[in-house]
Amino acid sequence: MIRDDAEALRTAAELAEEFRPGASGRDARRELPRAELDRLTATGLLAVTVPAEHGGADVSAVTLAEVFRLLASADASLAQIPQSHFAYVNVLRQQGSPEQRAFFFAEVLAGRRFGNAQSEAGTKHLQDIRTRLVAADDGSYRLTGVKNYSTGALFADWIPVLARAEDDLLHVAYVPADAPGLTVTDDWDGMGQRTTASGAVELADVVVPAAHVVPHHLTFTGPQLHGALAQLLHAAIDAGIAAGALAEAADFVTTRSRPWFESGYETAAEDPLLIQRFGELALRHRAADALLATAARAVDAARGDLDDDSAAEASIAVAAAKAYAGSAALEIADALFEVSGTRAALDGLNLHRHWRDARTHTLHDPARWKIQHLGRYVLNGTRPPRHGLL
């Protein structure tokens, strides 16, 4: 059991160092990090957002973002797996009944993991959710549909499923991973984040008790931080990838790279042109971290005094952090090869995993729309929409 923010940060830092040495090998072999995820769970880190009144540490958004940044700096796939876990803990916090909160928070404190079954392929757009939750005569529900990109589902004890009820309103059904009619398929073959097992979930007339269904649509009827918190963790993963790539570039240049013959220096690390480039990359890295911290503080401030204005400010701050961190991760992961030289391209070194992870992760949602909402907010004072992705 983790008791406070300081312990959560210490634990995350220790786990990052523990997971870092094996990250490249796991990626190269597509070896799912089951042991590492069990180790992460055993520390209690996945329960740190359980409210204090239910026995949790209830850490700040600042702390949670830093936890994800640290983990992603070591292994971006491993950091991605619990992102939805925290998002759906937050759904319960916002819309769960007192009985649902008591039950599911106890599950989380006992080490149970949430996955996700949210996105669907082949639909008109992201919010065209076709999975259906149909009421049965006995008061329960029947759940039918197919989900894709279900990160965390293969490792989960509970799989939160985003579905529309007969009134077309969004609900989240919390389904045990061994429920009859539920099938999880590890068919994820993305070029990056290879070990997230972000495959498919099929739901064939799955029975769900009414006590396990949460009215998620109510989240978006007033000021909310659901989207800001979820996107904050995505931004933290991007910032972590940037940090990991920069550290690997510095290590390579100082231990393996040869100096360019025209430089006149004995080592590559003395080359002023390389020093300049590392300075530029360090600025990008530091700016990404700073925007992440600013966004996390905005989320914490809005939690303490939630209204339309504070929610909008938090969403805008997170949008800025996410847009910037994504571009920083891509630039630094690409520049790793620029500064390191030819040998860095050897496939056996697997240095390209940082770029593959960054490129794959930044495809979750387009940064151009975040920048669009930033512009609207600054120019016209238009608050961002309440759709859960800001």
Side-chain angles (χ1 to χ4, degrees):
M1 182 71 73
I2 289 174
R3 298 294 179 185
D4 56 30
D5 292 64
E7 187 178 356
L9 292 172
R10 286 196 303 272
T11 302
E14 291 166 3
L15 287 174
E17 292 310 305
E18 184 178 325
F19 297 155
R20 194 183 313 278
S24 177
R26 287 190 295 273
D27 173 89
R29 298 186 296 270
R30 285 189 181 269
E31 181 181 288
L32 299 182
R34 294 183 183 274
E36 290 75 17
L37 191 58
D38 286 344
R39 172 85 175 97
L40 173 63
T41 306
T43 65
L45 203 58
L46 297 186
V48 295
T49 59
V50 170
E53 60 266 30
H54 289 275
D58 203 6
V59 301
S60 67
V62 169
T63 293
L64 188 62
E66 180 62 6
V67 164
F68 270 78
R69 192 194 70 83
L70 287 167
L71 293 174
S73 72
D75 186 336
S77 286
L78 186 55
Q80 180 62 40
I81 291 169
Q83 191 271 342
S84 290
H85 169 92
F86 285 99
Y88 284 104
V89 168
N90 192 47
V91 167
L92 288 162
R93 185 170 185 152
Q94 300 306 313
Q95 299 302 336
S97 68
E99 295 77 16
Q100 288 172 327
R101 292 173 190 167
F103 175 76
F104 282 111
F105 289 155
E107 287 286 281
V108 174
L109 288 169
R112 309 288 188 265
R113 294 191 289 255
F114 292 164
N116 99 88
Q118 179 169 294
S119 296
E120 299 178 14
T123 57
K124 185 176 180 180
H125 52 69
L126 186 67
Q127 293 195 331
D128 181 17
I129 301 297
R130 300 183 184 180
T131 298
R132 290 292 153 177
L133 191 65
V134 179
D137 292 338
D138 62 1
S140 66
Y141 291 88
R142 300 295 186 272
L143 191 59
T144 302
V146 178
K147 298 291 188 175
N148 303 89
Y149 314 122
S150 302
T151 304
L154 191 69
F155 312 104
D157 300 288
W158 291 89
I159 301 177
V161 181
L162 192 63
R164 293 194 184 276
E166 292 162 291
D167 55 10
D168 214 36
L169 296 176
L170 279 176
H171 292 69
V172 175
Y174 289 74
V175 182
D178 60 356
L182 186 151
T183 304
V184 180
T185 304
D186 179 21
D187 58 359
W188 171 244
D189 65 349
M191 68 173 180
Q193 295 197 299
R194 288 176 168 180
T195 64
T196 58
S198 301
V201 172
E202 184 175 355
L203 304 134
D205 204 30
V206 176
V207 177
V208 185
H212 294 172
V213 177
V214 176
H216 191 37
H217 60 94
L218 295 178
T219 301
F220 307 104
T221 59
Q224 53 82 33
L225 296 172
H226 173 76
L229 183 64
Q231 290 291 306
L232 180 70
L233 302 187
H234 282 307
I237 291 168
D238 288 336
I241 294 171
L246 184 59
E248 189 124 41
D251 178 72
F252 196 96
V253 168
T254 55
T255 61
R256 301 195 189 195
S257 292
R258 297 182 296 179
W260 182 244
F261 72 94
E262 291 180 287
S263 72
Y265 290 95
E266 291 296 315
T267 67
E270 296 173 282
D271 184 339
L273 298 181
L274 277 179
I275 290 171
Q276 176 70 22
R277 186 63 175 130
F278 269 95
E280 293 166 352
L281 298 176
L283 279 174
R284 290 281 268 156
H285 160 55
R286 285 174 177 267
D289 284 358
L291 283 170
L292 179 67
T294 297
R297 288 194 296 270
V299 171
D300 282 330
R303 275 179 170 171
D305 185 19
L306 186 61
D307 59 22
D308 283 330
D309 290 333
S310 64
E313 183 56 37
S315 289
I316 288 297
V318 172
K322 178 66 173 67
Y324 191 90
S327 65
L330 287 167
E331 180 182 345
I332 294 171
D334 179 71
L336 189 160
F337 300 96
E338 170 198 334
V339 297
S340 299
T342 307
R343 278 185 289 178
L346 295 176
D347 195 53
L349 295 176
N350 200 25
L351 294 178
H352 46 67
R353 73 185 185 280
H354 299 290
W355 184 88
R356 289 188 288 99
D357 284 340
R359 182 65 284 176
T360 301
H361 183 253
T362 53
L363 298 177
H364 270 89
D365 49 279
R368 60 186 176 273
W369 273 99
K370 298 186 184 303
I371 295 170
Q372 176 76 197
H373 289 302
L374 278 165
R376 293 175 180 179
Y377 186 71
V378 171
L379 189 60
N380 299 314
T382 305
R383 296 189 186 107
R386 298 170 179 163
H387 55 42
L389 290 172
L390 280 167

